[in-house]
Amino acid sequence: MEFISTRDVTLRLSASEVIKKGLSDDGGLFVPECFPTLSSEQMRALLPMSYQQRATAIMELYLSDYTHEEVEQCVNAAYSTPKFETPDIAHTVKLDNITSVCELWHGPTSAFKDMALQMLPQLLPLAIRKTGEERTVVILVATSGDTGKAALEGFRDVAGTRMVVFYPKDGVSDIQRLQMATQQGENVAVVAIDGNFDNAQSGVKALFSDRELAQRVARDGYLFSSANSINFGRLLPQIVYYFSAYCDLVNSGRLAFGDRVNFAVPTGNFGNILAGYYAMRMGLPVSRLICASNRNNVLTDFFASGTYDRNRPFYLTESPSMDILISSNLERLLFELAGRDDALVREWMSSLAERGTYSVPETVERAAQTVFYGGCCDSAGTSRAIERAYSQYGYTLDPHTAVAFAVAQDYREETGDSTQTVIMSTASPFKFSGSVLSALGRRVAADEFENLAALSELTGLHIPEPMALLQKLPVRFSDVCDKGDMERAVLDILQKK
Ligand SMILES: *Cc1c(COP(=O)(O)O)cnc(C)c1O
């Protein structure tokens, strides 16, 4: 198995090179040269397996320059208890006869980002070794909240790596700030910037593309890399839980083996739902992929019209991890739907960069619509979904998952489709306890820890251990830097130690 770029199909790289590089030099995203498919026998063999065994079986199909033992070791190190609260790792819960929830947030930072960011730090050090890299990899991250903490926790004390995370000083929740400021590990640093998320992101991008800086840090034995969701090493672990959820439904009798299933996915950068599409291409019996957006509904419009247009207002919502107008991973889907025509993808992406918009031909639009349904949900709808799931099923949704719950319901009403549907749940409700309490008609306190306690009291759910401990951990990182000083901040951090 080798990898090609969505913007240059003649390129050929190994899995380890792709994981080390993250992004292709032509600006494209790495994709597998073909989709390995599972026979019915191979699918059946997954049924009795543990999550870890399923993960090994699926990921090794792509990681051809890793040995079976290496993949197995990576998987076992990534997905273990008590790092994950549940031994089944991605736990499914039945809501009614046709609806289940797959909880992807039982990892150390209570968001689904852990599913990938526990695995990537296992794969990357091996990729460094396999590609003969001798420098220390310095991972730079700009975060609006969830990614930063999950990356820090994944990479803490991972040999051969260091990490610097930048977040907007006033742009993250109290819990998210505390999660990062109290981060442990000798190889990590966290810096708040006096600016917004866009400033953090463009600052990090500027550091990546600064050749002079790259040469300067290379002399000290460092190489910059990225852990954001365009790295194939983050996409790959996400394919696993689509297969695993399917197996769990079959094993619990909710689905007959071979029956098709719908997945509803709260979507931002299109990474999670794309993994569902990849699973389908590998032979998983998927009927529809329901792409759920919040008020930033650029994808809903795309699936309805074939035109992607980011020229629109940007809204801050109570599902901040989906507040995004450029869904980077959509490029990988377009590449497949366009028959892997790299010239077309280049054309669309340059139109997006120059004019903020592009339109795909009707054939591509139709191909998208046969698999995907796009829907969106505003703030009031999100609150209603939280309230309804709680009163109807006694189940507590976080605001991101609530968007998917609402859109799945709209889809069902609109189409009459009663296919078994799995809602991909991306965050613990405790991570957004203020919004959840407010949707359930309770008072919201100024102090986040009071809200955690109130939500626990109300729902009978326990506060995830790492979140409960935050109150007691010492703050290690309190530096704030000007948005123009990010290079200086990185150099200072690398100088220490
Ligand atoms: C990142 C994130 C999403 C969006 O996932 P994508 O892969 O970017 O589409 C949804 N919900 C939560 C809680 C997240 O952290």
Side-chain angles (χ1 to χ4, degrees):
M1 169 73 68
E2 288 190 307
F3 292 79
I4 57 181
S5 160
T6 50
R7 298 190 198 179
D8 180 3
V9 295
T10 63
L11 206 83
R12 284 208 127 49
L13 291 179
S14 69
S16 54
E17 283 168 308
V18 157
I19 287 167
K20 186 178 91 176
K21 277 179 83 82
L23 190 69
S24 181
D25 291 334
D26 52 33
L29 307 185
F30 293 119
V31 293
E33 58 178 343
C34 64
F35 289 106
T37 52
L38 275 76
S39 66
S40 183
E41 288 305 288
Q42 285 171 306
M43 273 286 299
R44 224 179 254 287
L46 296 176
L47 291 174
M49 289 185 184
S50 66
Y51 188 87
Q52 292 81 353
Q53 290 168 322
R54 291 170 185 163
T56 304
I58 287 160
M59 287 199 263
E60 70 183 349
L61 298 173
Y62 291 92
L63 298 170
S64 34
D65 60 344
Y66 289 67
T67 66
H68 170 77
E69 286 70 28
E70 283 173 337
V71 177
E72 197 169 57
Q73 274 163 18
C74 287
V75 162
N76 290 336
Y79 305 116
S80 59
T81 50
K83 225 163 44 169
F84 280 76
E85 296 173 312
T86 51
D88 52 357
I89 309 298
H91 182 66
T92 59
V93 177
K94 176 181 170 174
L95 292 190
D96 61 28
N97 285 339
I98 53 168
T99 319
S100 303
V101 177
C102 178
E103 297 178 343
L104 302 171
W105 41 262
H106 289 290
T109 76
S110 306
F112 98 102
K113 302 280 192 297
D114 288 329
M115 301 302 292
L117 280 166
Q118 285 297 313
M119 190 65 196
L120 181 62
Q122 305 300 328
L123 296 174
L124 186 62
L126 287 172
I128 293 169
R129 213 168 64 213
K130 285 174 193 293
T131 54
E133 184 61 60
E134 283 170 356
R135 289 169 288 181
T136 296
V137 173
V138 180
I139 296 149
L140 302 178
V141 179
T143 183
S144 58
D146 285 343
T147 299
K149 176 60 184 181
L152 287 163
E153 195 55 38
F155 278 97
R156 77 188 245 195
D157 295 324
V158 170
T161 71
R162 298 186 67 175
M163 171 169 281
V164 185
V165 170
F166 292 97
Y167 72 90
K169 185 166 76 75
D170 301 315
V172 301
S173 77
D174 283 350
I175 289 283
Q176 288 174 323
R177 186 183 50 77
L178 265 182
Q179 278 187 318
M180 291 188 277
T182 57
Q183 178 64 46
Q184 298 179 312
E186 292 311 308
N187 62 335
V188 298
V190 179
V191 181
I193 68 153
D194 220 345
N196 61 23
F197 172 64
D198 279 336
N199 300 136
Q201 183 152 40
S202 32
V204 163
K205 278 189 185 154
L207 295 181
F208 276 129
S209 52
D210 185 337
R211 289 188 189 249
E212 214 173 295
L213 177 66
Q215 281 168 7
R216 177 164 175 195
V217 298
R219 284 196 292 274
D220 295 329
Y222 294 116
L223 165 75
F224 289 139
S225 183
S226 149
N228 71 17
S229 79
I230 49 181
N231 190 321
F232 185 78
R234 270 191 64 178
L235 194 53
L236 178 60
Q238 299 181 167
I239 299 173
V240 175
Y241 50 72
Y242 285 88
F243 280 95
S244 188
Y246 188 88
C247 291
D248 291 346
L249 291 194
V250 171
N251 287 342
S252 64
R254 274 172 276 171
L255 202 67
F257 182 79
D259 278 2
R260 298 211 290 173
V261 64
N262 293 338
F263 289 99
V265 188
T267 297
N269 216 14
F270 208 74
N272 194 358
I273 196 165
L274 181 78
Y277 176 77
Y278 276 24
M280 188 188 105
R281 294 294 302 268
M282 293 172 71
L284 189 71
V286 174
S287 181
R288 293 304 284 279
L289 293 167
I290 298 167
C291 176
S293 304
N294 63 23
R295 200 176 168 202
N296 296 295
N297 57 357
V298 60
L299 287 166
T300 314
D301 292 346
F302 172 71
F303 285 117
S305 69
T307 294
Y308 193 96
D309 189 356
R310 63 155 304 194
N311 302 305
R312 59 178 72 211
F314 173 81
Y315 300 107
L316 289 172
T317 73
E318 58 298 305
S319 46
S321 300
M322 295 156 69
D323 291 344
I324 188 160
L325 291 179
I326 300 186
S327 297
S328 315
N329 276 297
L330 186 64
E331 180 170 344
R332 286 184 163 117
L333 176 68
L334 293 172
F335 179 73
E336 301 304 332
L337 297 179
R340 304 198 140 202
D341 186 334
D342 53 358
L344 265 179
V345 172
R346 281 200 303 274
E347 194 183 303
W348 295 331
M349 291 306 123
S350 69
S351 173
L352 180 65
E354 283 154 29
R355 291 184 289 282
T357 180
Y358 59 86
S359 296
V360 300
E362 217 175 296
T363 47
V364 173
E365 185 190 336
R366 291 251 178 72
Q369 286 164 349
T370 55
V371 181
F372 290 87
Y373 169 89
C376 60
C377 172
D378 63 10
S379 257
T382 306
S383 290
R384 275 200 305 276
I386 293 172
E387 201 283 320
R388 184 154 42 84
Y390 192 71
S391 57
Q392 211 165 321
Y393 304 114
Y395 189 80
T396 314
L397 298 169
D398 94 283
H400 301 76
T401 312
V403 169
F405 180 87
V407 172
Q409 167 116 351
D410 292 345
Y411 166 78
R412 216 171 259 159
E413 281 166 10
E414 199 178 305
T415 60
D417 182 0
S418 60
T419 303
Q420 186 71 233
T421 299
V422 183
I423 292 163
M424 290 311 204
S425 177
T426 50
S428 156
F430 285 102
K431 209 154 183 185
F432 304 93
S433 37
S435 303
V436 177
L437 283 170
S438 152
L440 297 177
R442 306 300 147 126
R443 193 181 70 85
V444 181
D447 176 49
E448 277 285 338
F449 292 100
E450 257 182 65
N451 291 331
L452 289 180
L455 188 60
S456 174
E457 170 103 357
L458 175 68
T459 59
L461 299 170
H462 77 276
I463 303 170
E465 192 73 18
M467 227 184 280
L469 285 175
L470 282 180
Q471 217 170 353
K472 301 198 187 99
L473 289 177
V475 168
R476 292 182 63 207
F477 303 105
S478 52
D479 286 357
V480 180
C481 91
D482 190 81
K483 57 177 183 285
D485 283 340
M486 288 167 63
E487 175 177 337
R488 179 82 267 141
V490 170
L491 291 174
D492 282 351
I493 287 162
L494 293 183
Q495 216 101 90
K496 286 180 209 155
K497 177 177 142 170

